[in-house]
Amino acid sequence: MPTLRDVVRVLDELYDPRWADDWDAVGTVVGDPDADVSRILLAVDPVQAVADEAVARGADLLLTHHPLYLKGVTSVAATTPKGRVVHTLGSHGVALHTCHTNADSPPLGVSESMALALGLTDVRPLEVDTDPGLDAWVVHVPRPDADAVAAAMHEAGAGSIGDYDSAVFRSDGTGSFRPLAGANPAIGEVGALEHVEETRLELVAPAAVRESVRSALLQAHPYEEVSYLLLPTAARPSERGSGRIGVLAQPTTLGEFVEHVHRTLPAHGSATRVAGDLDRTVRTVALCGGSGDFLLPTADAAGADVYVTSDLKHHPVSEHLERPDACAVVDVPHWAAEWTWLPVAASALQDRLGDTVDVHVSTLVTDPWSHALAPAPRRTP
C-alpha cells in the first residue's frame, strides 16, 4: 500500500509544483506523509460537502483542484467554514492535497482534459510555456579520474535528457599548467610546466541542480583548482501551455456547438452564455479551463472560430466583438469546465499506482450558482 508521500511523488511527476503560478498555494494541506493511502477521492472544490463525502467513502486522500487556502491564516479553528473542513478531514485521517495552476498547463491537465472531453483533435497549447534552458557543463579532468567525476555529476542530477540518464560526451586531449608558489598540485611540481593527458567531459543539467552539480564536481575532482565551464542555454518550448486549441471532426454551427458543449459538460444549475452569430461555422476551437479572459486575444489571433472559457466580464467581450471577424465566445460554468479534469487525473493515478489504491471521482455539484433563469423576452424600447 502506498503512503501519502508515494502518491504525492506521482502527483508531482504529473503536475510539478514548480509549474504553479507564484500567487498559488498547491501541495499537501492536511495529512501525514507516512500515512497509508488505499482510497482517493477527487473533486474540484474542498468544501464541506466534499469533505463529508470523503469521510463517508472512507477515503485516505482528498485531491482537489482548488486550494483550501490562498492567503495566510493564523487559525484553523472549526468555527470557520475552512477550519471546519480541516477538522473534518484531520479527525478522520483524510489527507488533503491540491493541484491547481500546476495542473492547468501540462498534458493530462485541466485545459487538455476539457479539449478531449469536447472531442477536439490536433490538440495543442494555445499559448506555449517554455522550460528554463539547461546548464551545459564542460569539465577537464585527468584521464584516470574521468569516470569518478562523471559519476559524481550524474549522481547530482547532470546527464539526464528525456528518458535517458548518465549521458556524457568525452574527448581526450592534453592540458598544461605551471603550479606557482603556494600551490599544492595533485600532479606536477611548483615552478615546473606540466603536461597532463586529460579528458573533456560535456554534460547538461537543469539549472535547479546547478549548485549540487558544482559541489559534486569539485569534491570528486583531484585538482585543487578545477578547470570547468558553465554555459546556460536558451529557454526552450515545452509540451505545456495555457489553454488549448484544436479542431472538430466535422464543421458545425455555433448553435449546434454550444448544444454539444452543454451536453458534454457535467450537469449544473448555472448558465452557459454565448456571444456570436449562432449560424456561423465552427471548426477550430480554442478553450481554457477556468478563468481564461487573458487568452481571448490569443484565441482570436490563432484563428479560432470560437473560444470557450469561464468567468468572462462584460467589457472585454464587448470590446472583442467590435473587432472585424472576431471569434465567437462561449462562457461556461467554472466548476463544470474544470470537472472534466477529474476523470483524466483519476485514470492517470490509477495507471501509475495500479490496484494498490481505489480512485473515485466526486459527482457533487459544487458550482456556487444553483439556478439560472431563462432569458427575458426582448422588449422594444
Side-chain angles (χ1 to χ4, degrees):
M1 185 183 301
T3 64
L4 176 59
R5 180 180 286 105
D6 297 327
V7 178
V8 169
R9 185 179 299 114
V10 172
L11 288 170
D12 286 352
E13 291 173 357
L14 290 165
Y15 311 111
D16 194 320
R18 292 176 298 179
W19 301 336
D21 291 339
D22 293 342
W23 53 264
D24 203 2
V26 301
T28 302
V29 181
V30 178
D32 179 355
D34 294 321
D36 291 335
V37 172
S38 64
R39 183 166 295 176
I40 303 171
L41 178 66
L42 283 78
V44 175
D45 297 298
V47 294
Q48 187 62 43
V50 171
D52 292 340
E53 181 186 8
V55 171
R57 284 184 175 272
D60 305 299
L61 169 62
L62 173 59
L63 172 63
T64 64
H65 180 52
H66 289 151
L68 181 64
Y69 293 104
L70 271 175
K71 298 179 180 179
V73 296
T74 58
S75 170
V76 292
T79 52
T80 65
K82 292 180 182 292
R84 186 179 168 210
V85 168
V86 171
H87 278 262
T88 298
L89 296 176
S91 63
H92 290 87
V94 184
L96 173 61
H97 188 87
T98 296
C99 294
H100 191 211
T101 53
N102 53 320
D104 283 340
S105 62
L108 304 180
V110 174
S111 288
E112 184 166 298
S113 299
M114 184 179 170
L116 297 177
L118 294 179
L120 302 187
T121 60
D122 189 24
V123 175
R124 59 196 185 279
L126 181 56
E127 186 176 80
V128 177
D129 288 350
T130 58
D131 280 330
L134 295 171
D135 285 345
W137 292 85
V138 179
V139 183
H140 301 96
V141 58
R143 203 167 298 170
D145 299 287
D147 288 344
V149 171
M153 296 178 71
H154 288 152
E155 183 67 23
S160 293
I161 306 174
D163 294 329
Y164 297 83
D165 66 8
S166 302
V168 59
F169 182 80
R170 302 165 185 250
S171 54
D172 293 332
T174 302
S176 61
F177 53 84
R178 178 170 29 231
L180 302 178
N184 183 25
I187 299 174
E189 298 178 356
V190 172
L193 184 63
E194 189 72 24
H195 293 80
V196 181
E197 292 184 347
E198 293 184 338
T199 297
R200 175 186 172 104
L201 304 175
E202 299 181 45
L203 309 85
V204 294
V209 297
R210 178 179 296 170
E211 294 311 317
S212 297
V213 172
R214 193 196 312 268
S215 177
L217 159 63
L218 297 178
Q219 289 181 28
H221 203 288
Y223 289 173
E224 62 176 348
E225 298 293 345
V226 179
S227 170
Y228 69 92
L229 297 175
L230 171 57
L231 307 170
T233 62
R236 51 194 177 142
S238 73
E239 295 180 319
R240 306 184 316 280
S242 298
R244 289 297 186 270
I245 188 168
V247 295
L248 295 168
Q250 297 292 333
T252 186
T253 65
L254 176 61
E256 291 170 339
F257 173 72
V258 173
E259 289 295 330
H260 168 63
V261 172
H262 190 69
R263 290 191 304 269
T264 300
L265 297 183
H268 53 80
S270 192
T272 297
R273 303 183 297 175
V274 186
D277 182 354
L278 295 180
D279 292 325
R280 72 175 292 168
T281 300
V282 169
R283 177 69 187 277
T284 301
V285 178
L287 57 84
C288 180
S291 302
D293 58 352
F294 68 102
L295 286 175
L296 182 53
T298 307
D300 208 30
D305 300 310
V306 62
Y307 179 54
V308 187
T309 190
S310 304
D311 304 335
L312 291 172
K313 296 181 180 179
H314 172 94
H315 293 294
V317 176
S318 176
E319 293 171 7
H320 164 75
L321 293 177
E322 292 297 311
R323 296 169 53 88
D325 302 320
C327 68
V329 180
V330 178
D331 185 289
V332 297
H334 191 124
W335 169 85
E338 294 183 330
W339 186 92
T340 59
W341 170 69
L342 302 183
V344 174
S347 178
L349 276 173
Q350 196 76 72
D351 288 345
R352 286 158 177 77
L353 295 171
D355 58 6
T356 61
V357 295
D358 293 325
V359 185
H360 302 273
V361 172
S362 174
T363 57
L364 288 177
V365 179
T366 54
D367 185 354
W369 305 108
S370 57
H371 300 84
L373 301 182
R378 294 184 180 274
R379 296 182 176 86
T380 303

